[in-house]
Amino acid sequence: MNQTAPRSLWASRLGFILAAAGSAVGLGNIWKFPYVVGENGGGAFVLVYLACILLVGLPIMMAEFMLGRHTRRDAVGAFVQLEGKRSPWIAAGWVSITAAFLILSYYSVVAGWTLDYVYRALRGSFSGVPAATIEGMFDGLIADGPRQILWHLVFICLCLGIVIGGVQKGIERWSKILMPILLALLALLFMNGMLSKGAWEGIAFMFRPDFEKLTAGSVLEAMGHAFFTLSLGMAAMITYGSYIKRNEDLLGSSLRIVGLDVTIALMAGLAIFPIVFSVGMEPGAGPGLIFKTIPVVFSRIPGGFVLAILFFLLLSFAALTSAISLLEAQVAYLIDERGWGRKRATALLAGLAFLVGLPTALSYNSLAQWHLIGERTFFDSADLLTSNYLLPISGLLISIYVGWFWSGSEEKQELVAGGSGWVYPLWHFLIRYIAPSAIAIVLFFKMRETGLFAWFGNLF
């Protein structure tokens, strides 16, 4: 390890919880969760999602925090310290770091869309405009490469400005600012949804189980989304865990983080579905729900101008709190393992993420004919590779290592330190048997569903 200065730690428990919750709470909660619920039948999907969070997501989150705090290292360095430089387990760290880098590169472009819509909302672009025109705005945006690149650059610079400040003065300070604002914005939108005439329809859609609509694909989707939304398998939680104080209660903190993440996802659904129902639109509208359907809804309801501004600010803040954790996970590697200074490491990695994100910004315009995996664009291929393969593989390796190969006494020590040693038998059972089995099943079916087996067959 090349560290020469004492490792930075979170200044407070609140700062750590808000930073980690900010990492977990991203576009996946507010953009993806509502339309995934809509596509998979509502309440039954929510139940399966919550089960996946508790049985798989929570144990792996605790395992990542343990690895980070025990070693005080980044995702790669944690395995180097525990198993040595030549250990094959280091692959788990590298997979997660690679996933973090690739996700940041295209996530920044998507986050740029939210900034563009904040700008449009401030200009009143959705007020008094026909629905067809509003729906066409998103198609026009993704067809405009230079506009996407501009917002992509703005977002990357925001991430750079926060991460370069360090753990306490950068990430923790801004998490204490951004997360309360995010929660306040969501609370306002939630109350608006609950006061709309579509409130009961929205509540019923979210929580009334209809198991006839629940398919095997829905169960796999719930598992995958639970994994992605908690920022697992992407080095962020190992890195954030390395900044936790020794006496921190990992179980209690993890439950609070998971609780915030789930609450925000559910509140987002209850903010969105009631107003969608109130104007008679389709709740299962897919990815276009946020960028096409919701702006149309805001154009039709009283106070829609203000609500549109609040909503897209909420999306932007959620994206930013997640993205800074992705960048920090990579920066920590260069600081810990290569001895780089924070400013140099942050500037280099932010610049590389911007460059690698350029093909994503051009995926639906200049590079629309450039296909990587099958007939998928660069953006779709990068998303497929990370969300469906790198993250589950990283999580699978971490759960197998922690469940079967890491010293049980060291694991228990991490739980005992915070006063949660009593949960060790249950946690160890889940991380040893349930989590790896569930992830392996999802990974297998995702590979079959996305045609990766056939793709490999064609290569040879």
Side-chain angles (χ1 to χ4, degrees):
M1 182 167 64
N2 295 313
Q3 285 178 274
T4 56
R7 192 166 193 78
S8 297
L9 301 177
W10 303 112
S12 65
R13 173 181 293 181
L14 177 64
F16 158 57
I17 290 173
L18 290 178
S23 174
V25 174
L27 291 178
N29 296 71
I30 302 168
W31 171 42
K32 190 174 182 181
F33 182 75
Y35 83 72
V36 168
V37 171
E39 289 181 328
N40 290 277
F45 177 85
V46 173
L47 287 176
V48 174
Y49 167 73
L50 293 176
C52 293
I53 287 280
L54 290 174
L55 297 177
V56 179
L58 178 62
I60 293 180
M61 174 179 283
M62 292 173 64
E64 293 198 17
F65 284 153
M66 288 178 183
L67 287 169
R69 185 170 73 173
H70 188 80
T71 60
R72 293 290 187 221
R73 299 278 285 274
D74 61 282
V76 173
F79 290 97
V80 171
Q81 180 164 314
L82 290 170
E83 298 295 328
K85 292 184 177 181
R86 297 183 180 276
S87 171
W89 287 111
I90 296 173
W94 275 115
V95 171
S96 61
I97 290 282
T98 302
F101 177 76
L102 290 176
I103 291 172
L104 178 61
S105 72
Y106 69 77
Y107 193 86
S108 175
V109 175
V110 177
W113 300 346
T114 70
L115 294 178
D116 182 81
Y117 270 63
V118 170
Y119 175 70
R120 291 174 191 262
L122 288 169
R123 293 185 60 195
S125 300
F126 308 129
S127 303
V129 178
T133 301
I134 295 175
E135 291 173 354
M137 288 179 183
F138 182 66
D139 295 327
L141 172 61
I142 63 174
D144 189 341
R147 188 182 185 103
Q148 289 187 82
I149 290 172
L150 172 62
W151 289 117
H152 171 43
L153 177 61
V154 171
F155 187 80
I156 282 289
C157 287
L158 289 174
C159 294
L160 186 152
I162 292 173
V163 173
I164 212 166
V167 175
Q168 292 186 15
K169 295 182 179 179
I171 300 169
E172 184 170 359
R173 174 192 290 174
W174 280 98
S175 294
K176 288 181 176 179
I177 295 171
L178 292 171
M179 283 300 291
I181 294 175
L182 186 154
L183 290 168
L185 292 174
L186 184 57
L188 288 173
L189 290 164
F190 170 76
M191 287 188 290
N192 175 76
M194 291 297 95
L195 292 173
S196 72
K197 65 180 183 180
W200 285 113
E201 286 183 271
I203 292 171
F205 182 77
M206 284 285 292
F207 297 114
R208 181 185 295 155
D210 184 354
F211 290 100
E212 291 183 0
K213 294 182 179 179
L214 192 67
T215 65
S218 300
V219 175
L220 295 175
E221 185 70 46
M223 174 68 73
H225 188 69
F227 203 79
F228 185 84
T229 191
L230 292 178
S231 293
L232 303 176
M234 55 183 77
M237 293 307 180
I238 293 179
T239 303
Y240 275 13
S242 71
Y243 306 140
I244 301 174
K245 294 176 181 177
R246 288 293 180 195
N247 62 348
E248 183 67 48
D249 178 7
L250 294 184
L251 173 62
S253 295
S254 298
L255 285 171
R256 292 182 181 92
I257 293 162
V258 167
L260 266 176
D261 180 75
V262 171
T263 299
I264 288 174
L266 295 177
M267 286 180 68
L270 292 173
I272 291 170
F273 288 132
I275 61 173
V276 170
F277 280 118
S278 70
V279 295
M281 298 191 75
E282 173 57 48
L289 178 67
I290 297 302
F291 292 106
K292 291 185 177 182
T293 305
I294 293 300
V296 172
V297 172
F298 287 143
S299 72
R300 296 181 180 179
I301 60 178
F305 171 75
V306 174
L307 290 173
I309 295 171
L310 295 178
F311 182 76
F312 289 108
L313 274 175
L314 171 67
L315 280 179
S316 299
F317 288 159
L320 187 57
T321 56
S322 289
I324 59 177
S325 71
L326 293 171
L327 182 55
E328 174 64 18
Q330 304 163 56
V331 168
Y333 167 76
L334 289 182
I335 293 175
D336 290 354
E337 310 309 314
R338 303 299 176 189
W340 286 35
R342 175 167 287 273
K343 291 183 179 179
R344 179 188 175 196
T346 308
L348 174 70
L349 289 167
L352 287 175
F354 171 73
L355 292 176
V356 175
L358 293 178
T360 292
L362 302 175
S363 285
Y364 299 109
N365 42 82
S366 303
L367 299 181
Q369 303 306 312
W370 184 28
H371 299 149
L372 291 184
I373 300 176
E375 294 300 311
R376 295 175 179 86
T377 64
F378 181 89
F379 180 16
D380 294 331
S381 297
D383 184 42
L384 174 73
L385 177 64
T386 54
S387 300
N388 290 282
Y389 302 121
L390 294 184
L391 295 186
I393 288 171
S394 174
L396 180 62
L397 292 175
I398 288 170
S399 61
I400 291 173
Y401 174 75
V402 172
W404 292 92
F405 294 93
W406 193 19
S407 169
S409 60
E410 292 180 345
E411 296 171 350
K412 192 169 185 178
Q413 172 190 332
E414 291 300 322
L415 288 174
V416 169
S420 296
W422 61 270
V423 82
Y424 176 77
L426 174 60
W427 170 82
H428 196 253
F429 174 79
L430 292 174
I431 200 69
R432 193 171 211 187
Y433 298 106
I434 303 300
S437 300
I439 296 171
I441 292 170
V442 170
L443 187 59
F444 174 81
F445 281 100
K446 282 293 183 182
M447 291 178 73
R448 191 175 71 172
E449 176 189 326
T450 55
L452 195 67
F453 291 136
W455 186 69
F456 275 124
N458 293 332
L459 287 178
F460 300 103

